[in-house]
Amino acid sequence: MKIGMALSGGGARGIAHLGVIQALQEEGIKIDVISGTSAGAIAGAFIAQGYKPKEVYDIIASTGILKSVRPAWSFSGLLTLDGFKEVLIKHIPHQSFEGLQIPLIVAATDLLKGAVCYFSEGNLITPVVASSCIPALFNPVAYQNSIYIDGGIVDNLPVRPLVGNCDFVIAVHTNPIGKKIDIKNMREVTERSLLLAINMNSGISKSLSNLVIEPPELANYTTLDISKAKEIFDIGYQYIKQNQQILQPIFQA
């Protein structure tokens, strides 16, 4: 049976992907194809390269995504991900989709066409960086005669490229909506608004999946909570360990 896994965007919450994958591997579940958006594209690229989840965690925790960003010196974004691009090149030196051990699909938003674009061949690094470019925060990425930004704007849970190509699709969504919000806190209001939009475009993806994994405790963390990486990793891991019954459809398929 060919198993595909879609990994959502979610900023720091995306570290939960690594905990989930660690637990799935311990249960003997092998992933044959990975698709990812933003944080999911980052995690997916490292896993597809052959790194173990805990190795990826160590790379992210030691580097710190926020430590790798640089001033953009432009009006299109406040920061550039050039520093993170260097991190990817260091750990995935062949820089190509074809060099990965597991097939990978990366979703990015084509700003000119206003549509999602799925990358799965050729240069790997640029699509992963493009998929992670949060609008207004990071500079858009120019690539292949177009301009790209965060894939989550259009497809935050890229299940569709897996449908029809896999026998079983697992979707890992790291953006549950919490019930608490400080309406006087502009950052919280802005982030919640973005989460609501993201969840709207993830609804269809969830319905197309055979199994949706969405640890509810992630609602207590924000996109920029990289300092809480260990807690977030453990939430993903423990969610699978404490809810192993949800894995039964995989073994029965």
Side-chain angles (χ1 to χ4, degrees):
M1 180 175 68
K2 186 177 181 181
I3 298 177
M5 172 177 280
L7 304 175
S8 77
R13 291 185 297 266
I15 295 171
H17 291 313
L18 302 175
V20 168
I21 294 171
Q22 174 73 33
L24 292 179
Q25 289 181 347
E26 291 178 4
E27 296 300 319
I29 296 171
K30 177 180 176 293
I31 305 303
D32 299 292
V33 186
I34 300 173
S35 65
T37 294
S38 197
I42 295 170
F46 282 113
I47 295 298
Q49 172 65 6
Y51 286 100
K52 301 297 183 184
K54 289 183 178 179
E55 293 175 330
V56 183
Y57 168 82
D58 288 339
I59 292 171
I60 292 175
S62 62
T63 303
I65 299 300
L66 298 182
K67 295 179 183 177
S68 66
V69 300
R70 298 171 180 168
W73 305 111
S74 75
F75 293 104
S76 57
L78 301 177
L79 302 167
T80 174
L81 284 171
D82 285 350
F84 178 62
K85 183 176 182 179
E86 293 172 5
V87 174
L88 287 171
I89 292 173
K90 175 182 177 181
H91 294 282
I92 310 177
H94 57 76
Q95 303 180 42
S96 71
F97 281 94
E98 289 78 6
L100 299 172
Q101 295 183 22
I102 300 173
L104 174 69
I105 302 164
V106 171
T109 298
D110 187 322
L111 194 58
L112 301 184
K113 295 180 180 179
V116 65
C117 183
Y118 301 110
F119 296 93
S120 60
E121 58 184 23
N123 180 280
L124 166 69
I125 306 300
T126 301
V128 172
V129 172
S131 181
S132 308
C133 286
I134 301 172
L137 180 59
F138 296 118
N139 253 358
V141 172
Y143 184 58
Q144 294 183 344
N145 299 315
S146 196
I147 305 295
Y148 295 93
I149 58 173
D150 196 315
I153 300 301
V154 179
D155 190 359
N156 195 55
L157 187 60
V159 167
R160 281 173 287 184
L162 303 177
V163 175
N165 295 315
C166 298
D167 302 304
F168 195 97
V169 176
I170 302 171
V172 186
H173 191 252
T174 61
N175 302 291
I177 302 294
K179 295 182 178 180
K180 295 181 180 180
I181 182 174
D182 180 0
I183 60 173
K184 296 181 180 180
N185 186 314
M186 185 55 65
R187 182 190 61 77
E188 286 192 26
V189 172
T190 300
E191 181 166 359
R192 188 178 185 85
S193 299
L194 181 59
L195 281 177
L196 289 171
I198 284 173
N199 273 270
M200 284 297 291
N201 76 46
S202 296
I204 294 177
S205 295
K206 291 179 180 180
S207 69
L208 294 173
S209 306
N210 300 101
L211 171 63
V212 177
I213 297 172
E214 186 178 48
E217 290 181 50
L218 292 176
N220 299 322
Y221 297 84
T222 72
T223 303
L224 300 178
D225 272 340
I226 193 70
S227 63
K228 299 177 181 178
K230 181 61 167 60
E231 296 175 30
I232 296 172
F233 180 99
D234 289 342
I235 285 173
Y237 180 80
Q238 292 299 331
Y239 182 78
I240 298 299
K241 289 297 184 179
Q242 295 171 7
N243 298 277
Q244 293 191 25
Q245 70 280 0
I246 67 173
L247 304 180
Q248 290 307 307
I250 301 176
F251 298 114
Q252 295 170 356

